[in-house]
Every structure is written in C-alpha cells, then in structure tokens.
Amino acid sequence: MAESKRRVLGRFSSSSFGTVDPRKSNGGGGGEKEVPHLPVLIVGAGPVGLILSILLTKLGVKCSVLEKSVVFSRHPQAHFINNRTMELFRKLDGLAEEIQSLEPPVDLWRRFIYCTSLSGPVLGSVDHMKPQDFDKTVSPISVAHFSQYKLMNLLLQRLEKLGVSVCSPSEIEGSIWDRKILMGHECISIHPTNEGLKVGTSYLKEGKMEEREFHCSILVGSDGARSTVRKLVDIDMKGERNLQRLVSVHFLSKDLGQYLLHERPGMLFFIFNPDAIGVLVAHDLDQGEFVLQIPYYSPQQKIEDFSFKDTFNLFQVCEQIILKLVGWKLVNVQVLDIKPWVMHAEVAEKYVSHNNRVILVGDAAHRFPPAGGFGMNTGIQDAHNLAWKISSVLSGIASPSIIQTYEMERRPIAIYNTSLSVENFRAAMSVPAALGLDPAIANSVHRVINSSLCSILPPSLQKFALEGIFSIGRAQLSELILNENNPLGSLRLSRLKKIFDEGKSLQLQFPAEDLGFCYKEGALVAECGEKIWESEASSVHKRDLRPYIPCAKPGCRLPHMLINALKESSAKASFSTLDLISGDKIEFLLIIAPIKGSYRLARASMMVAKEFDVPLKVCIIWPKGSSDKNVNSSEKELEPWKNIIDVEEAVTPTSKSWWELCQMSSNGVILVRPDEHIAWRTESNSIADDLSELKRVFSLMLGHGKFLL
C-alpha cells in the first residue's frame, strides 16, 4: 500500500466519548457515507489483543479485532506464563485450570540445562522451581509452561463461546460488525473526527485489493513489535536496539523428545560445542516439539543461509545444525518453520495519544529480550489494566482522563521490566563468557568486519573471515580443553559452577516483580495529606531474586489469602481473596473488619458509590473461628445495602491474620479496583468526615478531579 495512504490527520476537536450515528462519518469530505461503527477497535489478534477482546466483551463493551494475517501463526513463540498472568486467567472461564491440565508435568520443564551436546557432558543445571511455588501461600495458582499458539487456540474457544466469530474478508459483508475477528485486514490509516476515529483498512478479495473504513471511539494497537498503529500515530520507541540477531527454527522430533523426556528433561538447553552454538526450547517433550534459537550475524550471514532448500531435503542447513547440537543423527526431524528476529529492549515514548482515543498495548508499546518471559506476560497485564478503564469510560462511570492513568501505571512497569530482562539477558551471556566465548568479543569482531576497511572485501570473503574466526573461537569448547585435567578448562568449569551456585545465570522467575509490582501514580488515592509512596520506595534492586512480600499500599495487587464464606447456604470450600473481585463486571470492593467505625465508613462508601453510579461490594473479613451468626450482625449494621459478603480467615497455625498480612490494624479499610489493585486504604478511626473523604476518593480515582497527587 502506498505510503501516502498511511497517515494520521489533525487532532480531535472533542474529548467526548459519547455515541455517534454509525451511518455517518464527517472525518473527511462532504456527504454522508456508510461507515461501520464500533466503540472499540483492536488492531492485532495476538494473545494480548484476544485477551483484551475477551475482557471487554465480558464487560459488555462492543468491540472487534483487525488482524492483517489471513491465518493464525503456529510458531510456538512465548511459552512461560508467570504467576500474575495465571491469576488473571483464573477469571477467564477456567482458562488457568485448562492450561494446567494440558501443560507438560512441571518436572519435565523446571530446569535449564547447559551442555556440550544434548547427549554429551552436562556443564550445569539450574532448577527454577521452589517449594513455595506450589504451596499457594502467596498466590492461588502457580506458573505454567504452555506454547503461545496453544494458548491462542484456547482464547479463540472462549471468544467463540462469547459469540465472537473469526471471519475472512469474503465472510463479513453485512451490517453487524461487533464481535468479529476480521482476518486479512491491515490498518492503513487513522483519521481523527469530531466524534472519534475513522480507521482505514485494506484487504485482499478475489485477487484484488479492497479498502474498508471503520468508525470507532477507541482504537487499541496490539499489533506487535513492528506496530503499524504506533507508526501511524508517530510514537517513537526508546531504548537499546539490535542486542542480538537470531534465527528461530521450529521443528518436530519424536525421537529427540522421548530421549530428553527420559534422560534429560528440561525447558531450555544451552548447547556449546566446537561445531555449533544454540539454545533449544523444549515446548513439549512428549510430542517432540522444539524451537532452536541460533545466533547469526548480518549482513555476512543471511536468513537464506539457514532456510536453503533443495529438491530432496527441506531446510537442509538447519537439520545439519540440529545434528551438531544433538550429538547423533535423528531419523525423524521435521523442520516446520524458520523465522529471523532481532532482540530489542525498547519502550514507547507514550502509550496514549489523540485525546485518549489511540492506545498501545503489548509488544506495540514495549519489546524486551525474551530472558525471563516478560514480553507476553507484561502485555496481558496491560490489557487487564486497560479493560476496566475503557469500560468505565464508555459506560459513563469514569472520565476519559482515566485512560491517561493506563500510561501512568503501565509504562513505568514496562521500563522496569525492560531493564530487568536486559540484565537477565546479560547474565545469560556470562555462561559463554566463562567458557571463553565472550559475546562482547564476537560483537567486536563483527563490527571490525563491517567497518569501512573490511567493507571493500567481497561479501563471500567477509563471510568466510567471520565464520573462520568464530570457528577458531568455538575450538575452545573441545573436550581437549574443556575438562578437569586441563588447567584452563578446569578454571573455566570452576567459574561456571560459581555462576550457577550464586544464581548469576539466566533466571526464569522474579517473585517480587511478578506479584509485587506496584503502581506509583495513576487511578490511586493517598490518604488525605499523605503520599502514596515515599521517594525511597521507588528505588529498585534488580536481579537479586527478592521474595514477594504482600503489601496493601495503593497501587499494589491485593494480597492473596484463603478465606471461607460465612453463610449456611454457601459452599464451605476455601477460596482466595482475589476471588472477591468479579471478572465479568465493573465492581469495586471495600474490605473491612467487623468494627463499628469500619461499618460506618462502609455505609458512607456505599452512599457515595451510589452517587457516582459505581457498583460497590463490601467484604467483612472475620477472624478464624467466627460463626455464621455473624452474618446477621453485618446485615443489620449495613442495611439497607445488600451487596455484602461475610468471610472468615482460613489461616493455619503458622500464617498471619489478614490485617497482619496487609501490615494494617483491624481498623483498616481497603478499596480495591476491578483489576485487583488497591486504589485506596485508610484506618477507619482516622477520618473526621466520612462523606467528604469518600467523595474525594471516588472523584480522584475515576478521573473526575485532579488525580495527580
């Protein structure tokens, strides 16, 4: 499509998010024209776009998704689902439980293995799972290892149950445009109008390029690292580029899978030998599904060097590399796909533009090294933060300005995760450096060959020189050198062991960042006269594998504790405090203890919530051993309000009480947002005027007043 069609014109003349006539568009030129209207249009049908579509649809927001590809990718891509993302999946109609039933057993993927070949000596092994990962003390669910394309299939099944259909360009004629995933549609232009946005798309129909326009109130760009939406609205990325170039080889080998399953199970295999270097990702050992990551150096090495095909053997070069890394000839290798990719560490300069109507999520807003699995997880958590805010704006509960808090909250998290993933990537590079293969030296050699002095050499000679130098470097990995009897080899193996023992190699889990990330400003409210976070609380300590410590400050995720419902008709099975927040509707949660002052504040909260037209539920947490008769006392204290629930702590002899866990007294009051993050907290005996304080809280939280404190 011509570049002239890829444009954004003008600015919004109105910040209203009200409804518009779906038959009209006044974004350019005279006369009326049929333009499909949608409150929300999502560009990009990857995991983040589909999750956002599910969340919005469940919240009653009409939306559709544009996807430029005509089919969904089968490349495994991301595969590690962290603790917080699995918590979010628990609210998506049993998605987390289904993933757990389908993923490989944890003992098959909990380790990273470093070796000279898949059948050769093991240089080291790191177990990334700890006992606390399974005891449900800090979270009701654990992490998972599940390929992205398999996750996509489960998301599409849930969207189908919600009435969302996948359509090709030839299947979407008609007047109903919401609840669609429109395949083969590329976004080519974005035009602001008085009422919203007019979005131009192109698609191939019967061999001919056609164009179609949509009108929407909000456009969300979830279209990946090379986001068209980001480019159309002229938002730059800032950070480190070209950290490494790799070739990703997706292949099947039942033979290799069965060998590793029984002899050497693991998730990642880092392989270093004189013939080849690579990282093997075991997506499913039982099925024999793998992705091999191979570094390559452009322009001397080209992707065509790896994807060469002849009449008898597809992807012959890649099969030869696999053979070198495995250590024996596999009889049933099937190379399915080869993709080049470049590792960047960048964050968009801004997430929101054009009067809060164009919003970036996922890889469109940030791209990390894959070290630690932050990419997809951060993107899904972007969608979770954004969904309730979009719904609140479109339903009139919140001001459009609350969309700005999405950027205020999520962008600092992306910046932090970018730094953390870069540090983790560099920790991964410490292993080859300890073996005498310093990546910094390899990069320096590559820069010399790319220099003006060497650029006069023919490309074939440049490639020969580069690969020759690398071959000499890899010779240090021979068994003659890398063994305990060789003084140099013994020294290197000792350095390697120290790296593993001290946890300085590539890490998979970061508990403090996974469950303990906190928003410092945004749709949050400090106690009157207080700051949400003191300056010293903003300091970060990266790569030290800090444990997660529950916290009830504004901006933090609500701590998890097992509780029981106090009502005769209720099931007695324990459930998590996180389950007090609905995933299917906008509803805020006020948590109190059965204290007179807290009941008083809860009544004031319900009165103010009604004034702001905000659904509010009150939860009264009773100490362990309280009886069902306490339900009547709460109902009497809070009448005529009915949206209340009484629960008791399901504590063990060694666990803390709820208020101890939250580091508050029993006079504590906690207001929780629909995304399970704490919006405000206080002590009920510290407020002089309940109604005035609650009006301040809801006004600031919903963007009806100045929310920057």
Side-chain angles (χ1 to χ4, degrees), residues 35 40 50 133 220-221 243 259 277 417 441 445 483 501 563 601:
V35 179
V40 178
L50 295 187
D133 294 325
V220 181
L243 292 172
Y259 168 78
I277 292 173
N417 287 350
I441 296 176
V445 169
N483 67 78
D501 290 346
I563 52 177
L601 193 63

Side-chain angles (χ1 to χ4, degrees), residues 74 114 277 299 327 350 442 483 502 509 527 555 557 560 584 662 696:
R74 296 280 297 178
Y114 299 79
I277 292 173
K350 57 182 180 178
N483 67 78
E502 295 180 356
Q509 293 204 69
E527 293 183 67
R557 154 196 171 272
H560 154 75
D584 297 335
C662 293
R696 182 186 78 91

Side-chain angles (χ1 to χ4, degrees), residues 384-446:
H384 188 239
N385 180 286
L386 181 61
W388 76 271
K389 295 176 181 178
I390 288 178
S391 178
S392 297
V393 168
L394 294 177
S395 64
I397 291 174
S399 162
S401 64
I402 199 175
I403 298 297
Q404 285 291 333
T405 70
Y406 162 70
E407 177 178 315
M408 294 165 64
E409 293 174 358
R410 293 304 301 169
R411 189 169 180 273
I413 299 299
I415 291 172
Y416 184 94
N417 287 350
T418 301
S419 298
L420 187 56
S421 60
V422 168
E423 288 193 24
N424 206 26
F425 165 68
R426 288 174 178 155
M429 295 300 98
S430 69
V431 171
L435 294 172
L437 298 175
D438 192 336
I441 296 176
N443 291 333
S444 297
V445 169
H446 187 226

Side-chain angles (χ1 to χ4, degrees), residues 416 536-542 544 546:
Y416 184 94
E536 62 267 22
S538 298
S539 62
V540 294
H541 306 279
K542 302 170 189 170
D544 58 0
R546 295 171 295 139

